[in-house]
Amino acid sequence: MNSMSRLMVFVVLPLAGVGLSSAAHGQVSQPPAASSTLFQDVRIFDGKGSPLSAPSNVLVKGNIIERISATPITAEPGAVVIAGNGRTLMPGLIDAHWHAALIRPNPAQAIGGDAGYNNIAAGVEATDTLMRGFTTVRDVGGPVFGLKTAIDSGLIAGPRIYPAGAVITVTSGHGDFRQLSDLPRTIGGMLSRMEQLGGSMVADSPDEVRVRVREQLMQGASQIKLTAGGGVSSPFSPIDVSTFTEPELRAAVEAAENWGTYVAAHAFTPAAIQRAIAAGVKCIEHGFLMDEATAKLIAERGVWLSAQPLPEDLRLGFPAGSVQRAKADEVWPGIARTYELAKKYKIKTAWGTDVLFSQALAQQQGAILASLVRWYSPAEALVMATGTNAELLALSGKRNPYAGKLGVVEQGALADLLLVDGNPLENINLIAEPAKNFKVIMKDGKIYKNTLGG
Ligand SMILES: [Zn+2]
């Protein structure tokens, strides 16, 4: 079968709903080795903040953007030629705070459910994620090493995954989903169910932290995630508490840096954020209760802020009267203030969603990105979700699982591309309806969706 007929097979597939048929995966994930694709007459959003380009032609060869030219490029025999007709070509979207294994199950299923079922559900969700135009996710907690391998080997369609593996937490910390009946814990004793699954690991001393960090690195973690303070969704971690001691945090940072990568820490309060920074943490997740002094410190130290414009629906999803709802009510007002501080102090800010336990919210992934226009221009929001997020991914150094440049449309970069029907810089809501508006989705030079033919 030549590449043309492969595409024709794919074009007629339903692209919404539960994802692609298994037959399609064979077609889509194993295109010819020397495949090339020529996008004609596209206007380029480069992921770096330049205005849309003049009408251009873009040649992808293998998995690389080989050439960008205002003058016509001759297609090689067998190349897929896509007539852009003035549509916008942009980098694939990147979600910097994602939990690929924790979207479809509810909390009880995630911990107590069947692991085989949960993995298959995560695979189906990964396909949906890619079909929303998200070609890369930074996974900050959950058992996703197997999912990543399945995607990278072409077994199933999904985004590139930068995995943290298990979240590392203290007893009672955010990520400790055990029940009181699971206590007491003995250091060196039996693992809880949650730990056996690789969702989160409890560590209560610098030595234990080192072990758990190194175990994640051994499994292929590209960065380490730990929780430096309380969190909304876990049952026994009040928002105001700081969890790890500075020596414990430093143990994680040393172990990660010895592997050439970094630690990202979940933290809301000034105390938790400042302690994490003192220990050498390179990225603060959320940060929603920060004050001016902490914002200044983050900026001065060149630390990243990985923030999320968390939707109201997520807050309302916690049952009224529950501990989690009370904590959400405490955190949510800080979201707007944090974005204002991030802008004021020019903090390096990544964008993510942090969708948990809700397929319906995951379908809003693009809409959540578009909601950044409360604080940013559409261009700024789209740069954040492409070029800027890719800079954060590059912090993984030698543990970066995907050699090459992501998040930009430029010669020599990895070919993760979206062809958008319209101009998202003028109407960012186009990205909220990917099934309708993304005409082509390409990851690593492979076409996963093409409704234009070619
Ligand atoms: Zn999270």
Side-chain angles (χ1 to χ4, degrees):
M1 196 187 267
N2 64 31
S3 59
M4 186 82 83
S5 50
R6 280 172 201 278
L7 282 170
M8 294 312 289
V9 168
F10 188 59
V11 166
V12 299
L13 287 169
L15 294 166
V18 294
L20 314 176
S21 74
S22 56
H25 289 145
Q27 302 291 345
V28 172
S29 49
Q30 295 165 35
S35 64
S36 76
T37 302
L38 178 61
F39 293 91
Q40 294 176 322
D41 186 20
V42 293
R43 302 193 61 193
I44 298 166
F45 167 66
D46 65 5
K48 297 180 280 190
S50 316
L52 277 198
S53 73
S56 302
N57 306 291
V58 176
L59 176 66
V60 172
K61 209 161 177 188
N63 68 342
I64 299 290
I65 299 170
E66 181 160 285
R67 217 179 129 203
I68 299 173
S69 172
T71 55
I73 298 174
T74 309
E76 298 168 3
V80 176
V81 179
I82 295 172
N85 290 324
R87 293 184 179 89
T88 306
L89 189 73
M90 64 173 283
L93 297 167
I94 301 170
D95 191 326
H97 192 118
W98 190 244
H99 300 278
L102 304 176
I103 306 292
R104 296 288 179 107
N106 63 35
Q109 287 168 332
I111 295 163
D114 180 82
Y117 177 88
N118 286 348
N119 279 318
I120 290 170
V124 175
E125 177 56 41
T127 304
D128 277 7
T129 305
L130 178 62
M131 301 318 282
R132 290 192 291 268
F134 286 84
T135 49
T136 302
V137 297
R138 175 170 165 267
D139 195 289
V140 281
V144 296
F145 295 119
L147 175 65
K148 178 184 188 302
T149 303
I151 292 169
D152 291 347
S153 65
L155 195 60
I156 187 167
R160 301 176 192 270
I161 297 180
Y162 281 72
V167 169
I168 297 165
T169 182
V170 300
T171 288
S172 87
H174 183 51
D176 183 355
F177 285 94
R178 294 174 304 160
Q179 298 304 307
L180 294 177
S181 54
D182 294 324
L183 302 184
R185 170 173 191 266
T186 306
I187 291 180
M190 264 180 57
L191 294 179
S192 65
R193 169 85 175 148
M194 159 193 96
E195 293 171 302
Q196 288 165 8
L197 290 171
S200 47
M201 300 299 291
V202 177
D204 287 307
S205 68
D207 286 345
E208 264 205 308
V209 168
R210 265 186 284 274
V211 172
R212 297 310 180 213
V213 167
R214 287 169 181 162
E215 285 171 349
Q216 306 317 307
L217 294 164
M218 185 176 176
Q219 293 172 85
S222 52
Q223 69 282 333
I224 294 299
K225 163 78 176 299
L226 49 78
T227 56
V232 172
S233 60
S234 42
F236 300 108
S237 70
I239 293 295
D240 61 285
V241 302
S242 299
T243 52
F244 285 110
T245 63
E246 199 176 311
E248 287 167 341
L249 291 166
R250 198 170 290 124
V253 168
E254 278 175 9
E257 287 183 350
N258 286 341
W259 273 62
T261 184
Y262 69 98
V263 172
H266 161 109
F268 289 125
T269 64
I273 296 169
Q274 290 179 20
R275 188 185 291 176
I277 291 174
V281 164
K282 292 284 193 302
C283 184
I284 300 297
E285 305 296 320
H286 319 303
F288 293 141
L289 298 177
M290 74 170 68
D291 54 16
E292 293 263 351
T294 309
K296 239 182 256 179
L297 178 75
I298 293 173
E300 278 166 17
R301 297 288 180 86
V303 169
W304 281 83
L305 173 67
S306 165
Q308 307 82 29
L310 300 174
E312 266 296 284
D313 284 354
L314 186 58
R315 183 179 72 84
L316 298 173
F318 297 108
S322 67
V323 175
Q324 285 88 348
R325 176 64 170 273
K327 291 197 283 185
D329 292 348
E330 201 178 334
V331 165
W332 251 248
I335 296 170
R337 179 166 161 73
T338 296
Y339 275 112
E340 281 152 16
L341 288 171
K343 285 180 67 171
K344 180 174 174 186
Y345 291 101
K346 298 188 169 49
I347 292 171
K348 291 191 287 192
T349 309
W351 167 84
T353 54
D354 200 16
V355 172
L356 284 168
F357 311 125
S358 171
Q359 181 188 1
L361 262 184
Q363 288 167 342
Q364 300 298 309
Q365 201 173 6
I368 295 170
L369 171 55
S371 78
L372 276 181
V373 295
R374 280 178 281 171
W375 303 287
Y376 299 95
S377 70
E380 287 170 332
L382 291 170
V383 167
M384 204 183 281
T386 54
T388 304
N389 273 358
E391 285 174 38
L392 172 58
L393 296 175
L395 268 194
S396 291
K398 289 224 161 91
R399 299 288 82 72
N400 183 344
Y402 307 103
K405 205 161 181 189
L406 288 172
V408 292
V409 180
E410 65 180 39
Q411 283 177 192
L414 291 168
D416 290 6
L417 297 166
L418 308 176
L419 188 62
V420 186
D421 198 10
N423 179 357
L425 301 183
E426 281 169 7
N427 178 14
I428 195 168
N429 290 320
L430 292 173
I431 62 172
E433 285 189 89
K436 180 165 158 241
N437 300 317
F438 294 170
K439 298 301 182 186
V440 176
I441 297 174
M442 170 181 277
K443 188 195 84 174
D444 209 33
K446 296 171 190 164
I447 295 171
Y448 288 84
K449 175 183 179 183
N450 177 6
T451 59
L452 298 176

